[in-house]
Amino acid sequence: MRRITRLLATTALALGLVATAAVEARAGTTYTAAGGPSVRLVGSIVTITDVPAGQTIACSQYDVAGRVIDPGAVRSHGTAAADLGALTSQCVHPIVGNLTSTVDPGWTVDVTGPANGTAWPARLSGVRIRMVGVGCDLTFSGTVPGTLDTATQRFTPTPAASTLVLTAVAGGFCVPLDFQVGDQMSFGGYFTNVPPTGSTALSLS
């Protein structure tokens, strides 16, 4: 009788481990994005830095708006949770002065792996920005890796991991300031999702 009891207990434990592994495997490769439908990432203490040149642009406003893609749908890590592309900004360089920013539509917020508590590894993908000021015209593109915390609704970039690269430089001020094609650009600060009226917070599971 004791052998049967031990056998049943061992079988139950094995089945439990298999089920747990299956759940963890699913959790490790997919996620669900919900909420919205609209999102609005409001920038705080945002800076954009040309790392090799040591040149920093400070933005008192840098807000990007968009929509959750297929709220409630399951998707793979590395794919988009939301589309972005509508930008409102006020940025200034200490020498160039005010810079006007335009962006290509098609930015996305991608979740790239499983959560650590409420913090999800994430990135802004498809980023392409043009900033124009007196005597300086800069275009850069790439991805902005970081962390998206659903508890605070905050996306915080990881500047050292940025793949943003200057792809075009023009204007008389740009050269003496050492902006050069190929320079790494990085975002500082953070972005908080403040849903517009009629929308709810972004949720990930």
Side-chain angles (χ1 to χ4, degrees):
M1 182 67 181
R2 281 180 294 182
R3 290 181 180 175
I4 294 174
T5 302
R6 286 198 298 269
L7 178 61
L8 290 173
T10 302
T11 302
L13 176 60
L15 289 173
L17 290 173
V18 169
T20 300
V23 169
E24 289 178 348
R26 286 198 303 273
T29 58
T30 63
Y31 74 101
T32 301
S38 295
V39 295
R40 183 166 65 98
L41 300 184
V42 176
S44 296
I45 54 175
V46 170
T47 58
I48 302 171
T49 299
D50 181 319
V51 178
Q55 297 290 339
T56 296
I57 298 164
C59 301
S60 59
Q61 182 178 20
Y62 211 90
D63 306 341
V64 192
R67 296 179 66 84
V68 177
I69 299 170
D70 296 329
V74 178
R75 63 209 79 195
S76 299
H77 288 153
T79 58
D83 280 323
L84 301 173
L87 173 69
T88 304
S89 67
Q90 294 183 1
C91 300
V92 64
H93 182 274
I95 296 174
V96 176
N98 293 329
L99 292 148
T100 301
S101 294
T102 55
V103 299
D104 284 357
W107 291 27
T108 58
V109 180
D110 308 337
V111 171
T112 57
N116 180 8
T118 60
W120 295 76
R123 68 186 175 212
L124 303 180
S125 294
V127 176
R128 187 174 184 275
I129 303 170
R130 183 181 181 191
M131 305 189 81
V132 180
V134 176
C136 200
D137 187 337
L138 307 170
T139 300
F140 47 98
S141 60
T143 62
V144 181
T147 302
L148 177 58
D149 193 322
T150 52
T152 59
Q153 292 289 291
R154 179 179 293 182
F155 174 77
T156 304
T158 305
S162 173
T163 69
L164 289 175
V165 173
L166 267 177
T167 57
V169 178
F173 269 136
C174 288
V175 174
L177 291 173
D178 202 27
F179 288 105
Q180 296 183 31
V181 170
D183 284 357
Q184 181 193 22
M185 305 290 287
S186 67
F187 268 97
Y190 58 90
F191 299 85
T192 304
N193 180 35
V194 182
T197 302
S199 291
T200 60
L202 174 65
S203 67
L204 302 172
S205 60

